[in-house]
Amino acid sequence: MSIDFENELNEAQREAVQTTEGPVLVIAGAGSGKTRTIVYRLAHLVESGVDPSQILLLTFTRKAAQEMLNRAEMILGRSLHGTSGGTFHSFAYATLRQNAMDIGFDNGFTLMDRADSENICKDVKDSLKLGKGDRSYPRKSTLLDMITKSRNKELPIETILEREAYHLNSYLDDLNEISDGYAHFKRNHALMDYDDLLFLVDKLLTENKPLRNQLQTRYRYIMVDEYQDTNLVQARIVKLLAGDKGNVMAVGDDAQSIYAFRGANVANILKFPQIFKDAKVIRLEKNYRSVQPILDLTNEILKGATIKFDKKLYSDLKSNHLPEVVHPLSDQSQAKLVVDQILEFRRKFSLHDIAVLFRAGYQSFPLEVALTRIGIDYQKYGGIRFHEAAHIKDVLSYLRLVLNPHDLLAWQRALDHIKGVGPKTVAKIYKAIHARDNKYLGKMTQKHEQLGELLGELNKLRATPPKPSAILESILAFYQPILTEKYPDDYPKRQAGLEQLSQIAVNYSDMEQFLGDLSLDGDPEEEKRKENAVVLSTVHSAKGLEWSAVIIIDLVEDRFPSRKAMQRAEDLEEERRLMYVACTRAKKCLKLFVPSSVYNRASGMSEPTLPSPFILELPDTVFDRMNESYGGGLEQRRKRGTTGATPLSRPKTNESETSTTPKTDPSKLGFCRHKIFGKGKIIARIEPNKCRVNFPGFGLKVIIEDYLELI
């Protein structure tokens, strides 16, 4: 069948789909049909005669890759069997499994999850006798965070501490020791974590030229989704797979790069045209999600970015209503006003089609209390992942031991339920098993009957065909009495989770792949979305989602942008992108809340706030301003040029477009100091009570005079 490009794609999408040779960068603005473009390009490649096995699709979730492949098959009317589609980590896992001997793992390796890695960090710390008696010593999760951030950002731990955790500086030497010990432990026990997958496949491709050439020949067409979220090592892997003149298409949006804390590096997408010479840059600017007034506001947010791909989103969706900037008197009254707004939205939209977004999780606490008080259900994104549940981890430890008897962490978990067998005894049993010390093992199995049962079960399973579903059924039968004893209060609920695990196992024929996918995916059963509940979410968790009505709260300095981000210009730029992501989640209605004061726990009082610089920058033509009156209602402030007060908004930085003329000659104005931006030069005074100030490293800001100290 022939693909209908003319009616199904706009002009920019068609260009992206039909440009198949050479490097291509698709800058896909929010809501611009990015996934549709990738799907049609997949279909177009196959329809043009490309063998599906020559296509590699790299995404950040397995679900996204599968959805794209399924949709492409529907367009084509036939299978895309053979296409390699999945996450960077799953690609690396498969490649390393096939070439394990080349990286020194002659007997294969086991992939660990987050909890395993944390436990190793603790064991290494204890073995080094670090932190004894120190109650403020970093927890195992923090130790791992510092190590993995150092690796993903490819910066020394010292730099990570300086930028993100200066309060841990006194533990720098310890962290370096633990990091080295962690690496040695993994190597000695044939273990890998998520970071190892990427760095080892990078090393393998760099050093093994025949393999690199083989993969470059095999994958003639490479497509990478969400390229703005790649870290340095992922970008290198793409370069190694594509070669200098490969047919690689990177799709993403520099304005939605918001995961620097995970190691994502916006420079990867910004420098793509320099890394891949003669790359073609295609911009998708037509938005299919939001009404035009919302896009007018988001375009203004992007104007202030220092380094970017210029784009201007537009839409065929019209509206007579502007987004609103609401100024509550305090963060406490903000909660009440937001609830009132939700009740108003509920007349037009389903509750699950209304979202309240915030920079950090704690910011929704007052709202949660207010919603509970009046009986409105809400869903706050988060929760324990499927494979991190204790009973699931128990069962997976047995599966891991069937494959890798060297997995000490799995032994610790599998023997955890046996009374009297602690970590030291586990270590002795582990040593005896590998030294074939049958005398000691015989003594221990006599003392601990359950140990003998477990060893017998594992021996039996190693001798059976390695079909995951069959092995799992045997393990579940063995585990049933342990389940009821270990979790007496809620084992029926946990049983349901184990049944779900059984259903997943049926789809696998390879045990390594089954375990690898569980560790890579993290959540085989997604949390079900409530159909009659307001969504409360951090902006990071909201990326990729959309709602008819979106409310963003706490748009004041120190909260959005966060206090930490105000210290470095590049961090402030990421906060701008976060603001852009938040606003572009809205389809029909957008409300921005800017409380005039926030409660300070230390003083026990509410203190005045500064509006977020992203609000101050907005020209008053793109929003309506609403103020909370002292009587508790909302009053609309009239715009400039009409009767009434002037709204608090920043005039456009382009002087030719500014509608307010500075009262004083800028050359006669002096210097000032601001508590966040530091020392700056006053460029102009703006009636009635603001100044335009140039702060080195931050650029032009419009600040209320009361918050400036003249120097």
Side-chain angles (χ1 to χ4, degrees):
M1 63 183 283
S2 179
I3 300 173
D4 184 4
F5 293 119
E6 200 64 37
N7 293 318
E8 297 296 333
L9 302 170
N10 64 40
E11 186 177 346
Q13 290 172 334
R14 280 197 301 274
E15 184 182 11
V17 165
Q18 295 175 332
T19 304
T20 58
E21 305 304 306
V24 183
L25 175 62
V26 178
I27 300 298
S32 62
K34 167 182 70 74
T35 301
R36 186 181 192 81
T37 302
I38 294 173
V39 165
Y40 270 85
R41 190 170 193 264
L42 281 168
H44 174 61
L45 285 170
V46 175
E47 190 188 49
S48 302
V50 175
D51 187 329
S53 66
Q54 294 185 314
I55 301 172
L56 173 63
L57 171 65
L58 293 172
T59 63
F60 277 83
T61 66
R62 194 160 68 102
K63 181 182 175 184
Q66 199 56 54
E67 179 190 340
M68 291 173 186
L69 293 172
N70 289 343
R71 285 173 58 181
E73 287 179 341
M74 289 181 66
I75 293 168
L76 279 170
R78 57 190 165 105
S79 171
L80 277 176
H81 181 72
T83 302
S84 296
T87 65
F88 276 92
H89 290 93
S90 61
F91 169 80
Y93 180 71
T95 304
L96 293 174
R97 272 182 61 197
Q98 293 165 9
N99 300 275
M101 293 182 69
D102 291 348
I103 53 172
F105 289 88
D106 294 358
N107 297 313
F109 58 85
T110 296
L111 181 64
M112 303 183 298
D113 64 12
R114 166 84 191 192
D116 291 335
S117 296
E118 288 182 4
N119 288 334
I120 293 177
C121 285
K122 182 182 183 301
D123 290 346
V124 169
K125 182 203 78 170
D126 292 344
S127 69
L128 292 169
K129 295 181 169 53
L130 299 174
K132 277 194 170 183
D134 182 355
R135 291 195 170 187
S136 63
Y137 203 86
R139 292 177 300 176
K140 59 185 181 182
S141 59
T142 303
L143 296 174
L144 182 62
D145 280 345
M146 296 302 105
I147 293 169
T148 196
K149 282 188 177 187
S150 170
R151 295 189 73 193
N152 277 289
K153 298 188 178 187
E154 300 185 34
L155 294 168
I157 289 177
E158 182 177 12
T159 305
I160 300 297
L161 295 184
E162 286 174 359
R163 291 185 180 181
E164 302 181 31
Y166 59 86
H167 59 289
L168 298 177
N169 270 329
S170 60
Y171 298 108
L172 174 60
D173 292 341
D174 286 16
L175 281 164
N176 282 322
E177 274 194 78
I178 293 167
S179 179
D180 292 341
Y182 174 65
H184 288 136
F185 186 99
K186 288 185 295 178
R187 173 61 69 172
N188 291 340
H189 294 88
L191 298 168
M192 282 192 200
D193 62 19
Y194 285 67
D195 301 334
D196 293 322
L197 293 176
L198 299 179
F199 284 100
L200 286 173
V201 88
D202 175 36
K203 185 174 186 288
L204 181 65
L205 293 173
T206 301
E207 297 176 356
N208 190 330
K209 189 174 180 181
L211 176 63
R212 186 170 72 245
N213 290 340
Q214 176 192 332
L215 291 176
Q216 287 179 359
T217 302
R218 177 182 174 184
Y219 298 121
R220 287 181 50 220
Y221 296 90
I222 299 170
M223 300 170 69
V224 189
D225 187 24
E226 304 284 14
Y227 200 75
Q228 77 281 349
D229 293 338
T230 56
N231 60 17
L232 292 170
V233 67
Q234 287 167 326
R236 288 199 300 273
I237 291 168
V238 172
K239 176 69 171 169
L240 287 165
L241 290 171
D244 292 328
K245 298 179 180 178
N247 300 323
V248 56
M249 172 183 275
V251 184
D253 184 4
D254 55 299
Q256 295 187 70
S257 181
I258 60 172
Y259 295 117
F261 66 95
R262 293 182 190 165
N265 195 318
V266 70
N268 289 342
I269 192 168
L270 292 171
K271 294 181 179 177
F272 187 93
Q274 287 80 53
I275 295 169
F276 293 93
K277 302 298 181 187
D278 303 319
K280 186 172 189 177
V281 179
I282 300 170
R283 291 170 173 80
L284 305 184
E285 297 175 297
K286 184 171 183 178
N287 178 286
Y288 293 90
R289 175 188 299 151
S290 307
V291 294
Q292 189 61 46
I294 291 174
L295 299 180
D296 290 339
L297 184 143
T298 57
N299 286 334
E300 290 295 335
I301 293 169
L302 288 188
K303 273 187 182 178
T306 53
I307 305 173
K308 63 190 175 187
F309 285 103
D310 285 324
K311 62 176 139 334
K312 190 167 186 177
L313 299 180
Y314 67 93
S315 172
D316 291 338
L317 304 171
K318 307 301 179 188
S319 173
N320 295 324
H321 301 286
L322 294 177
E324 285 184 1
V325 175
V326 181
H327 288 260
L329 293 171
S330 70
D331 55 345
Q332 296 300 313
S333 63
Q334 172 183 252
K336 178 186 177 300
L337 291 175
V338 170
V339 170
D340 290 344
Q341 187 61 72
I342 290 169
L343 293 173
E344 187 178 320
F345 280 147
R346 190 168 65 170
R347 298 174 186 170
K348 295 187 288 185
F349 311 118
S350 301
L351 277 176
H352 64 260
D353 204 18
I354 303 167
V356 182
L357 307 182
F358 31 86
R359 177 65 183 83
Y362 75 89
Q363 292 171 323
S364 69
F365 291 166
L367 178 58
E368 291 175 44
V369 173
L371 288 171
T372 303
R373 188 179 297 130
I374 66 166
I376 292 183
D377 196 12
Y378 63 86
Q379 182 171 26
K380 191 172 181 181
Y381 279 78
I384 295 175
R385 291 184 181 276
F386 182 86
H387 81 300
E388 291 170 348
H391 55 296
I392 300 293
K393 288 176 68 66
D394 290 346
V395 170
L396 293 184
S397 70
Y398 302 132
L399 290 173
R400 285 165 56 168
L401 289 174
V402 172
L403 283 183
N404 181 9
H406 297 281
D407 190 341
L408 177 59
L409 295 172
W411 280 112
Q412 290 174 339
R413 182 113 206 163
L415 299 174
D416 179 60
H417 70 284
I418 301 176
K419 190 175 181 181
V421 177
K424 289 181 181 177
T425 307
V426 171
K428 289 177 183 176
I429 293 171
Y430 177 87
K431 186 177 178 181
I433 289 170
H434 293 90
R436 300 188 186 280
D437 186 348
N438 293 326
K439 184 179 177 183
Y440 177 79
L441 288 175
K443 176 184 166 186
M444 293 304 293
T445 52
Q446 279 187 343
K447 185 177 180 181
H448 304 285
E449 184 181 346
Q450 289 176 305
L451 174 62
E453 293 173 356
L454 172 61
L455 295 178
E457 181 71 15
L458 290 174
N459 286 331
K460 182 187 79 176
L461 292 174
R462 287 195 192 102
T464 61
K467 189 170 173 60
S469 57
I471 292 179
L472 184 60
E473 284 307 311
S474 294
I475 287 175
L476 290 179
F478 172 81
Y479 181 67
Q480 187 63 41
I482 300 170
L483 177 74
T484 54
E485 181 183 342
K486 198 172 180 181
Y487 309 104
D489 54 340
D490 64 348
Y491 72 85
K493 180 180 176 184
R494 294 175 186 268
Q495 183 67 48
L498 294 173
E499 289 167 4
Q500 177 67 30
L501 188 64
S502 294
Q503 286 184 312
I504 297 167
V506 171
N507 299 314
Y508 287 83
S509 58
D510 181 86
M511 180 64 79
E512 280 191 332
Q513 192 66 52
F514 174 59
L515 282 173
D517 282 358
L518 283 179
S519 299
L520 290 163
D521 248 15
D523 192 1
E525 183 183 31
E526 288 188 0
E527 181 183 8
K528 290 182 174 62
R529 189 174 81 158
K530 294 181 181 178
E531 286 301 315
N532 196 32
V534 176
V535 174
L536 307 183
S537 176
T538 62
V539 182
H540 283 103
S541 297
K543 186 174 178 290
L545 304 175
E546 60 183 41
W547 297 271
S548 288
V550 169
I551 298 167
I552 308 173
I553 62 173
D554 277 356
L555 283 164
V556 296
E557 286 188 5
D558 290 355
R559 292 196 173 185
F560 199 160
S562 67
R563 179 174 301 176
K564 190 186 295 183
M566 304 296 285
Q567 310 305 318
R568 299 170 68 237
E570 56 262 50
D571 291 342
L572 191 61
E573 283 299 292
E574 175 143 329
E575 295 289 303
R576 178 185 301 281
R577 298 193 292 268
L578 203 58
M579 178 71 172
Y580 166 79
V581 167
C583 292
T584 52
R585 301 309 94 200
K587 294 192 286 185
K588 297 178 180 177
C589 299
L590 177 63
K591 309 274 183 176
L592 310 175
F593 277 71
V594 187
S596 300
S597 65
V598 297
Y599 180 75
N600 185 314
R601 185 171 157 232
S603 67
M605 299 172 62
S606 287
E607 297 182 348
T609 61
L610 279 174
S612 167
F614 312 131
I615 295 294
L616 290 174
E617 288 174 354
L618 294 174
D620 60 8
T621 54
V622 299
F623 67 88
D624 285 330
R625 171 170 170 158
M626 306 293 287
N627 281 359
E628 182 184 9
S629 69
Y630 289 105
L634 286 177
E635 296 176 347
Q636 183 169 356
R637 296 288 293 271
R638 297 184 182 276
K639 295 186 184 297
R640 193 178 286 122
T642 64
T643 58
T646 305
L648 177 60
S649 61
R650 173 178 175 168
K652 296 177 182 176
T653 54
N654 183 336
E655 290 301 321
S656 65
E657 297 175 0
T658 302
S659 58
T660 304
T661 305
K663 178 180 179 182
T664 315
D665 182 353
S667 65
K668 295 180 181 179
L669 296 174
F671 291 91
C672 65
R673 190 175 302 282
H674 182 264
K675 70 173 184 175
I676 300 296
F677 299 115
K679 184 178 178 181
K681 176 75 168 68
I682 300 175
I683 302 301
R685 186 175 186 280
I686 302 168
E687 292 292 339
N689 65 340
K690 296 189 284 269
C691 289
R692 183 181 292 112
V693 185
N694 187 17
F695 294 99
F698 293 100
L700 288 174
K701 302 289 176 187
V702 173
I703 305 289
I704 299 171
E705 286 177 344
D706 292 350
Y707 296 108
L708 295 174
E709 176 190 356
L710 297 177
I711 56 175

